[in-house]
């Protein structure tokens, strides 16, 4: 009886930040995984027609809509009482909206509700405890994520932290060039010697891993690293994949760390944050400078996810 009844019961998941860049993918992945999926709709949505239509599309796919507001604690408590797992995908990038600390209100609600079996806060990037040395203002992202983690752990809420890869749309199509999302035609900037290993992942795969790990007993109170072996590449290797696909060699300019960080103080804050993050990824190698065991790596935990290789990702741009 035991295992069968567990199998028939769907895991109920609430996605917060469901209309966002990663959030909408997590909603679809949870539905595809067969979870009973709830989407938080906030009154602040106002006249944001894109978000409203996205939420209606989730409803059509079988998601339940739950109304709650971050300015109404009780509404959040009621929302989280409906589910077993809460996944947050609230934005943590400076050039969009930076909402990491809003999650503290979610932690309070989960703590009061007392029924949530697991909380996955908004992570999906560099591993914050490893980023204590990060450059300002970009370090705010890590400091705030740490503040949220500390609150989760202090409240005794079970968790899984999903970390560790560059989003393909922001780092791959553009061959990791800043301020564009499309491949360069003639010239490409190479960070340092271009030989630092970086991890890239398709955002849909990140969502699939998230949907699979959220009720996996193996990942309870653990950090899951997204580090698919075929997608651990240097910037130079990425550029070479593109050159091979196009048959066109790009003119390369190597940028020293010193030059990369020159005049950073004079830039707009979001750009400063971006420069700092790129520096840690491409010069320091913060995504790959530490060992990750197979039991904490997504592609080995979930080999059934046929993750997208970056050569296939780049083919979209041909």
């Amino acid at each position: 009886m035991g295992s069968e009844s567990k199998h028939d019961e769907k895991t109920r998941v609430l996605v917060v930040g469901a209309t966002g860049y990663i959030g909408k993918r997590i909603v679809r992945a949870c539905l595809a995984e067969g979870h009973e999926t709830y989407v938080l709709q906030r009154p602040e949505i106002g006249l944001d027609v894109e978000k409203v239509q996205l939420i209606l599309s989730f409803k059509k796919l079988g998601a339940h809509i739950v109304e709650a507001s971050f300015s109404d604690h009780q509404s959040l408590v009621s929302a989280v009482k409906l589910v077993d797992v809460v996944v947050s995908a609230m934005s943590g990038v400076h050039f969009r909206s930076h909402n990491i600390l809003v999650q503290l209100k979610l932690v309070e609600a989960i703590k009061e509700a007392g029924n949530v079996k697991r909380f996955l806060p908004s992570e999906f990037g560099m591993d914050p405890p490893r980023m204590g040395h990060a450059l300002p203002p970009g370090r705010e992202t890590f400091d705030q994520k740490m503040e949220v983690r500390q609150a989760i752990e202090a409240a005794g809420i079970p968790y899984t932290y999903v970390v560790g890869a560059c989003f393909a749309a922001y780092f791959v199509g553009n061959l990791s060039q800043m301020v564009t999302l499309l491949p360069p035609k003639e010239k490409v900037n190479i960070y340092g010697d271009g030989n630092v290993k970086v991890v890239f992942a398709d955002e849909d795969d990140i969502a699939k891993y998230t949907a699979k790990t959220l009720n996996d007993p193996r990942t309870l109170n653990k950090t899951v690293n997204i580090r698919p072996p075929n997608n651990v590449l240097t910037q130079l290797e990425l550029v070479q994949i593109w050159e091979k696909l196009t048959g066109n060699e790009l003119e390369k300019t190597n940028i020293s760390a010193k030059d990369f960080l020159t005049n950073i103080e004079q830039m707009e804050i979001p750009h400063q944050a971006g420069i700092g993050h790129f520096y840690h990824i491409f010069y320091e190698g913060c995504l790959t400078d530490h060992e990750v065991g197979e039991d904490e790596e997504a592609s080995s935990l979930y080999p059934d996810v046929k993750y997208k290789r970056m050569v296939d990702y780049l083919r979209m741009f041909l």
Side-chain angles (χ1 to χ4, degrees):
M1 175 71 195
S3 63
E4 283 169 356
S5 65
K6 168 86 182 77
H7 219 73
D8 295 339
E9 275 183 37
K10 289 184 169 190
T11 298
R12 295 167 305 167
V13 182
L14 174 68
V15 182
V16 182
T19 57
Y21 184 65
I22 291 293
K24 62 187 174 200
R25 291 172 165 84
I26 291 173
V27 172
R28 292 177 193 133
C30 284
L31 288 164
E33 196 59 30
H35 301 321
E36 195 173 315
T37 308
Y38 294 74
V39 166
L40 193 73
Q41 178 178 308
R42 304 174 6 223
E44 297 81 7
I45 201 163
L47 293 175
D48 194 329
V49 68
E50 301 286 343
K51 286 187 178 181
V52 170
Q53 292 183 343
L54 201 49
I55 285 179
L56 292 173
S57 77
F58 295 151
K59 202 166 158 184
K60 201 171 168 185
L61 292 172
H64 307 279
I65 312 304
V66 187
E67 290 191 41
S69 168
F70 278 98
S71 53
D72 176 357
H73 173 69
Q74 228 36 64
S75 72
L76 284 179
V77 174
S78 304
V80 301
K81 275 190 171 163
L82 297 168
V83 300
D84 310 303
V85 176
V86 178
V87 180
S88 168
M90 305 201 66
S91 171
V93 286
H94 285 78
F95 68 89
R96 294 182 75 144
S97 53
H98 202 271
N99 288 331
I100 296 295
L101 290 181
V102 178
Q103 295 178 103
L104 293 172
K105 294 185 175 176
L106 202 50
V107 172
E108 284 303 308
I110 291 170
K111 185 178 170 182
E112 186 178 318
N115 62 297
V116 172
K117 299 192 185 76
R118 205 175 308 190
F119 178 40
L120 283 70
S122 187
E123 287 276 349
F124 315 112
M126 291 171 256
D127 195 17
R130 306 190 61 84
M131 302 307 294
H133 67 289
L135 298 167
R139 65 168 302 144
E140 269 178 31
T141 309
F142 314 121
D143 292 344
Q144 293 183 5
K145 284 178 174 179
M146 283 310 292
E147 207 178 315
V148 172
R149 285 189 182 200
Q150 279 147 8
I152 291 168
E153 292 170 35
I157 297 166
Y159 61 84
T160 298
Y161 303 138
V162 179
V163 303
C166 290
F167 296 169
Y170 285 99
F171 288 90
V172 176
N174 54 6
L175 306 183
S176 305
Q177 303 303 286
M178 296 190 84
V179 304
T180 177
L181 296 175
L182 299 168
K185 300 260 192 287
E186 286 140 27
K187 301 175 178 176
V188 63
N189 288 332
I190 302 293
Y191 305 118
D193 59 9
N195 290 323
V196 170
K197 289 280 186 192
V198 178
V199 187
F200 303 100
D202 184 300
E203 292 85 338
D204 290 334
D205 291 335
I206 293 173
K208 284 176 194 169
Y209 289 133
T210 302
K212 284 189 181 292
T213 205
L214 58 78
N215 62 352
D216 183 346
R218 297 174 298 174
T219 60
L220 182 64
N221 297 334
K222 296 249 183 0
T223 294
V224 172
N225 295 264
I226 294 177
R227 199 190 280 191
N230 286 290
N231 290 355
V232 178
L233 304 163
T234 66
Q235 188 199 2
L236 219 43
E237 286 171 330
L238 188 67
V239 170
Q240 284 157 354
I241 291 171
W242 178 246
E243 289 178 330
K244 208 170 159 184
L245 282 174
T246 59
N248 170 36
E249 200 175 322
L250 297 167
E251 184 189 320
K252 298 167 190 70
T253 306
N254 294 82
I255 299 179
S256 71
K258 185 172 161 290
D259 287 346
F260 187 70
L261 296 175
T262 305
N263 301 331
I264 186 168
E265 299 82 17
Q266 278 114 60
M267 298 168 188
E268 300 278 319
I269 295 291
H271 196 62
Q272 284 188 38
I275 293 260
H277 292 174
F278 267 67
Y279 178 77
H280 300 305
I281 293 165
F282 291 100
Y283 290 90
E284 293 183 345
C286 69
L287 294 177
T288 57
D289 64 358
H290 53 290
E291 288 299 309
V292 168
E294 291 202 346
D295 56 340
E296 23 173 36
E297 197 283 305
S299 69
S300 55
L301 283 166
Y302 312 107
D304 53 319
V305 175
K306 300 288 176 256
Y307 66 86
K308 184 170 273 197
R309 309 312 200 243
M310 291 305 107
V311 61
D312 295 320
Y313 193 87
L314 280 168
R315 280 200 178 98
M316 294 195 302
F317 293 89
L318 287 172

